[in-house]
Amino acid sequence: MTPKIDFIDLKAQRRRIGQAMDDAILAAVHEGNYILGPQVKEFEGKLAAFCGATHAIGCANGTDAIALPLMALKLRPGDAVICPSFTFAATAEVVAWLGATPIFVDIDEATYNMDVKGLAQAMVTAAQSSLKVRAVIAVDLFGQPADYDPIEAFCKENNLVLIADSAQGFGGRYKGRVAGSIGDFATTSFFPAKPLGCYGDGGAILTANEEHHAIIRSLHVHGKGTDKYDNVRIGVNSRLDTVQAAVLLQKIAVFADEIDKRQVVAQRYNDALSDVAVIPEVMDGCVSTWAQYVVRVDADKRAGVIEGLKARGVPTAIYYPKPLHQQTAYKRFPIAGNGLPVSDRVCHEVLALPMHPYLDGATQDYIIEAVRDVLKVAAAAA
Ligand SMILES: *Cc1c(COP(=O)(O)O)cnc(C)c1O
């Protein structure tokens, strides 16, 4: 009989904090402050403290979290924002919302994060298209912080705003700093499957910039001024729900421990799979939150490996099967340099394995054995 294995097991966390969670949710329901209740402010404080950021602003989801700083910057047609192509669509989508142009750069093959060399190429691309580059959106893909030191230096040199899309990497470490406190703005998502997820949609923006903090607080509630019925700018409705903030207050209490637990799971995979697949690489001085544990296998064997694992009850996923610059809605946007060869290649090789803090040793051993097995079968068939 094949076992029942979850790709991300959210029920396991409930076995740990479920009772406190249910009490907190019910208390929020009974209190009745459903919109911007006290839990939201309390959670914003805890979120900022967790990473050492100055301000945190809750919002409706991780996509809005990237859009709101761009709105505060008054991004407009003719402006460009540099971002990786090998990411979730939201990273570039918000740039296009505002009529501006995303310019896609390639990734580093070892870390899957933005290749810093692409930044200078993107500036050339922008100049050729008469676009004004305003910002860079770096992504902490799969949980590993982007290589922020050189990205920050580049942004400073070229007077660009740095937005860290830490939807996957919030709480990870980069050379003594914690993701969430890095960049002019850091953003995160509380989508349930993210390392710090809630029970629905949610997101947050973190910043130390006082002026932009005030503007985003206004923008996310319809552009309100000090008088609620005198809106001073065109805004949106993008709030973190009180009930979700109550959920997140319970989750953030165990989040540091969960990040530690994820290191143990990742290390076990690394030790057991390094001789049969390309295992993920974490840069020196960095800690990944392991939003995904992604290996690479030969492109022509991947479909068979997925089938073989499925037959053994092991769920897998592909992040991402198509980089953005190949997708229908994004094909028309410029790319840096002569192409994005790493993104074009690794999208055919990546394979994400079950990963969550509560993956027990016996289940993980079963997964490891299954992976080794199917890779052996695939190699013999080749
Ligand atoms: C999940 C995710 C987002 C968007 O978050 P939502 O809460 O789903 O809107 C943005 N960027 C990256 C890299 C993500 O993984």
Side-chain angles (χ1 to χ4, degrees), residues 61-63 66 87-88 90-91 139 165 167-168 189 191 194 202 320:
N61 54 68
T63 306
I66 316 170
T87 177
F88 183 63
T91 308
V139 178
D165 177 354
Q168 300 180 18
S189 162
F191 185 84
K194 309 280 175 175
Y320 293 90

Side-chain angles (χ1 to χ4, degrees), residues 37-287:
Q39 289 89 340
V40 176
K41 191 156 248 13
E42 188 186 348
F43 173 67
E44 287 173 340
K46 294 238 159 97
L47 189 75
F50 189 92
C51 63
T54 311
H55 299 292
I57 307 151
C59 66
N61 54 68
T63 306
D64 285 3
I66 316 170
L68 283 159
L70 295 177
M71 289 176 73
L73 295 170
K74 296 194 162 72
L75 198 75
R76 54 170 63 92
D79 290 343
V81 175
I82 305 171
C83 67
S85 173
F86 194 65
T87 177
F88 183 63
T91 308
E93 178 181 29
V94 292
V95 176
W97 278 3
L98 299 173
T101 305
I103 299 179
F104 295 117
V105 298
D106 212 351
I107 50 162
D108 175 75
E109 174 163 0
T111 62
Y112 306 111
N113 279 329
M114 177 182 272
D115 182 350
V116 181
K117 291 192 296 296
L119 293 173
Q121 293 170 337
M123 297 300 282
V124 174
T125 302
Q128 285 164 350
S129 319
S130 302
L131 294 167
K132 182 178 173 10
V133 180
R134 301 277 311 279
V136 171
I137 305 178
V139 178
D140 302 339
L141 205 71
F142 305 149
Q144 168 157 224
D147 195 3
Y148 286 110
D149 282 345
I151 295 172
E152 281 177 328
F154 186 89
C155 287
K156 203 162 174 198
E157 211 178 288
N158 293 278
N159 201 20
L160 307 177
V161 172
L162 174 59
I163 299 176
D165 177 354
S166 296
Q168 300 180 18
F170 178 85
R173 285 177 183 271
Y174 179 83
K175 302 181 183 180
R177 292 189 281 168
V178 181
S181 70
I182 307 175
D184 296 299
F185 304 93
T187 68
T188 192
S189 162
F190 306 123
F191 185 84
K194 309 280 175 175
L196 182 61
C198 62
Y199 286 174
D201 278 309
I205 302 114
L206 302 111
T207 187
N209 184 305
E210 298 297 336
E211 186 194 341
H212 284 131
H213 170 237
I215 292 172
I216 291 170
R217 283 229 174 262
S218 160
L219 281 172
H220 90 125
V221 187
H222 304 291
K224 70 175 169 140
T226 35
D227 172 352
K228 181 173 160 189
Y229 290 105
D230 181 29
N231 294 300
V232 296
R233 52 178 64 81
I234 307 296
V236 293
N237 174 7
S238 185
R239 296 174 290 234
L240 180 66
D241 283 351
T242 302
V243 170
Q244 298 303 344
V247 167
L248 285 161
L249 279 167
Q250 298 303 311
K251 291 220 187 190
I252 202 167
V254 294
F255 187 46
D257 178 60
E258 289 184 342
I259 292 174
D260 289 345
K261 286 184 159 57
R262 287 171 183 270
Q263 307 311 314
V264 178
V265 175
Q267 191 58 52
R268 284 185 98 230
Y269 272 144
N270 284 345
D271 293 344
L273 298 175
S274 64
D275 60 331
V276 292
V278 181
I279 58 166
E281 243 178 72
V282 177
M283 290 182 295
D284 283 343
C286 295
V287 175

